[in-house]
Amino acid sequence: MSRPQQITVLGATGSIGLSTLDVIARHPERYQVFALSGFTRLSELLALCVRHTPRFAVVPEAAAARTLQDDLRAAGLSTRVLVGEQGLCQVAADPEVDAVMAAIVGAAGLRPTLAAVEAGKKILLANKEALVMSGALFMQAVRKSGSVLLPIDSEHNAIFQCMPNDFARGLGAVGVRRILLTASGGPFRQTPIAELAHVTPDQACAHPNWSMGRKISVDSASMMNKGLELIEACWLFDAKPSQVEVVIHPQSVIHSLVDYIDGSVLAQLGNPDMRTPIANALAWPERIDSGVAPLDLFAIARLDFQAPDEERFPCLRLARQAAEAGNSAPAMLNAANEVAVAAFLDGRVRYPEIASIIEEVLNLEPVVAVNDLEAVFTADAKARVLAEQWLSRHGQ
Ligand code: NDP
Ligand code: MG
């Protein structure tokens, strides 16, 4: 039998990282953990190293690395600890690695994910912000290296599964008319709009169907997550923004649909558990057990659909505008959103101000072409400065 595939998990201490390790641990004959990274939850990272015995662990700075290295030695492990973005890029691109789970949240994941792409790895892409920021450059790098890009986002994994068979061989989305991107509508789908000024971070993070990290939970509440996913879908499936329709489906059972020109609409269904798309991408084109319970349609009983309301979800409108504008607009949208969401989670701004901050940033900064990664990071940095200026002007 061939050797187990070597997997690097970037963002191992997070929600997607832990689900990935759960699936990997079910198949020790197929997968071995090569490297794990953490950022703040370093005692959890130590426990994961003890459980999965990776060759490398990556932490953000030198003092944390020394502590973790000592603890690993005391536990009898030979795991080597690396530091910072350079360490992340090293374990993403190591010649021994077969696949990289990109599950760092936000712009911080872009360089390590691109390092994996440039090294021609199989990429399991959860870190949607990386693709949103750098779309054209990212996809160019995928084509150049021949890297296999598999979506982990449940909607995009669903769309991928519903695409024509030849799509994965690079033959395009032949016969596809539209992509129907489903959204649960989050915890505030029915909250009176006037009450949204008073919702708390914990309420925003209490998603009705999915258990996720705090940043993506707030994005789901504001539907910025769906906006980022719209941009993500355009890059992954070579679609125009006008071909992607957002459909609110509160049960989160249909994970998205593909509408073909002959009137056929294909959907992927499943329980809302990220281990399904993770197992699908890890094993693709084969299928493996993910640990997810079979879908019980009788218990679900009904599936509902409704159109999103842009007055309730202004972030969705802003994201669609950024998708249409292209160039530096999605990187600015993403960066302004990261600053605004962090400020909301810190109790510095109210929930409706997330959209106000992003809208101001997009109105102030002209859209420019992005021909290299430096231009992407320049747009990202400018948007962060403008968002911080909004915060200081409002006494935050
Ligand atoms: P979490 O917040 O749970 O995990 C984020 C991970 O990234 C953690 O390992 C964290 O380390 C690490 N991290 C945070 N900041 C940095 C940084 N600056 N540098 C390096 N590492 C960092 O997020 P999720 O797992 O929920 O989401 C991860 C990504 O997957 C996001 O892009 C999200 O949009 C996407 N995604 C998530 C889904 C979900 O169901 N959770 C569904 C679809 C997509 P530590 O915890 O040690 O601080
Ligand atoms: Mg999603």
Side-chain angles (χ1 to χ4, degrees):
M1 205 179 141
S2 56
R3 71 174 180 101
Q5 291 177 41
Q6 301 296 310
I7 316 289
T8 283
V9 184
L10 303 176
T13 45
S15 164
I16 292 287
L18 294 176
S19 293
T20 304
L21 292 170
D22 180 280
V23 177
I24 286 177
R26 290 167 191 275
H27 303 278
E29 71 300 342
R30 289 183 78 116
Y31 308 113
Q32 225 165 45
V33 176
F34 181 81
L36 297 175
S37 86
F39 195 64
T40 56
R41 288 177 271 195
L42 299 184
S43 51
E44 284 86 340
L45 182 62
L46 172 64
L48 293 175
C49 289
V50 170
R51 168 83 182 79
H52 298 279
T53 61
R55 292 264 293 281
F56 294 99
V58 189
V59 298
E61 43 89 28
R66 279 192 294 276
T67 309
L68 181 63
Q69 191 69 74
D70 290 346
D71 291 346
L72 286 165
R73 251 187 235 116
L77 297 186
S78 58
T79 303
R80 259 190 65 204
V81 183
L82 304 177
V83 181
E85 194 169 72
Q86 206 189 338
L88 294 171
C89 292
Q90 183 181 327
V91 297
D94 191 290
E96 286 199 33
V97 169
D98 297 293
V100 175
M101 167 55 79
I104 289 175
V105 59
L110 176 55
R111 280 205 178 89
T113 305
L114 270 182
V117 171
E118 282 160 5
K121 303 302 180 195
K122 176 166 151 180
I123 311 293
L124 315 178
L125 184 72
N127 179 207
K128 66 192 87 183
E129 296 93 341
L131 182 58
V132 166
M133 289 172 73
S134 68
L137 297 168
F138 192 109
M139 296 309 288
Q140 251 167 39
V142 168
R143 282 190 292 273
K144 189 168 166 208
S145 70
S147 171
V148 175
L149 180 58
L150 297 165
I152 293 298
D153 220 333
S154 56
E155 296 77 3
H156 304 73
N157 187 269
I159 296 162
F160 181 73
Q161 293 193 49
C162 297
M163 276 283 156
N165 289 340
D166 288 341
F167 178 78
R169 292 199 287 127
L171 297 184
V174 180
V176 171
R177 178 163 46 195
R178 274 183 319 163
I179 288 171
L180 302 171
L181 187 66
T182 54
S184 69
F188 305 142
R189 184 170 57 90
Q190 291 171 313
T191 309
I193 291 182
E195 285 176 24
L196 292 176
H198 308 292
V199 298
T200 65
D202 283 345
Q203 286 172 316
C205 289
H207 196 279
N209 306 331
W210 297 95
S211 155
M212 309 181 285
R214 283 173 82 76
K215 190 262 179 182
I216 185 178
S217 295
V218 176
D219 286 350
S220 298
S222 70
M223 282 191 80
M224 177 54 89
N225 182 50
K226 213 48 53 180
L228 298 175
E229 289 184 0
L230 187 158
I231 300 170
E232 184 185 12
C234 290
W235 290 115
L236 288 172
F237 305 113
D238 200 16
K240 296 189 208 51
S242 59
Q243 286 178 287
V244 183
E245 184 166 342
V246 174
V247 178
I248 293 193
H249 163 48
Q251 290 90 357
S252 298
V253 167
I254 297 181
H255 297 305
S256 278
L257 312 90
V258 175
D259 174 17
Y260 284 84
I261 51 176
D262 64 1
S264 302
V265 179
L266 303 193
Q268 186 259 4
L269 285 71
N271 286 319
D273 186 323
M274 289 307 293
R275 291 176 301 172
T276 294
I278 290 168
N280 177 267
L282 263 176
W284 183 85
E286 294 170 20
R287 299 262 178 189
I288 55 170
D289 171 39
S290 63
V292 176
L295 186 64
D296 181 349
L297 280 176
F298 299 118
I300 293 157
R302 57 181 280 182
L303 300 174
D304 294 307
F305 305 98
Q306 75 191 67
D309 166 2
E310 287 192 352
E311 193 198 338
R312 174 179 294 279
F313 298 115
C315 286
L316 187 57
R317 168 178 55 81
L318 295 170
R320 195 176 273 285
Q321 284 166 3
E324 301 278 1
N327 298 298
S328 60
M332 292 195 299
L333 172 92
N334 177 67
N337 181 56
E338 285 191 27
V339 174
V341 170
F344 171 66
L345 285 171
D346 284 350
R348 294 164 68 202
V349 300
R350 290 168 184 241
Y351 168 84
E353 290 169 339
I354 295 174
S356 314
I357 294 171
I358 300 164
E359 181 143 35
E360 179 173 297
V361 170
L362 292 179
N363 285 339
L364 285 177
E365 191 60 33
V367 175
V368 297
V370 281
N371 298 320
D372 52 32
L373 208 52
E374 203 179 315
V376 172
F377 281 109
T378 303
D380 173 281
K382 279 189 178 160
R384 284 173 201 268
V385 169
L386 290 172
E388 292 294 350
Q389 282 171 0
W390 190 102
L391 293 172
S392 14
R393 221 177 43 246
H394 290 77
Q396 301 301 328

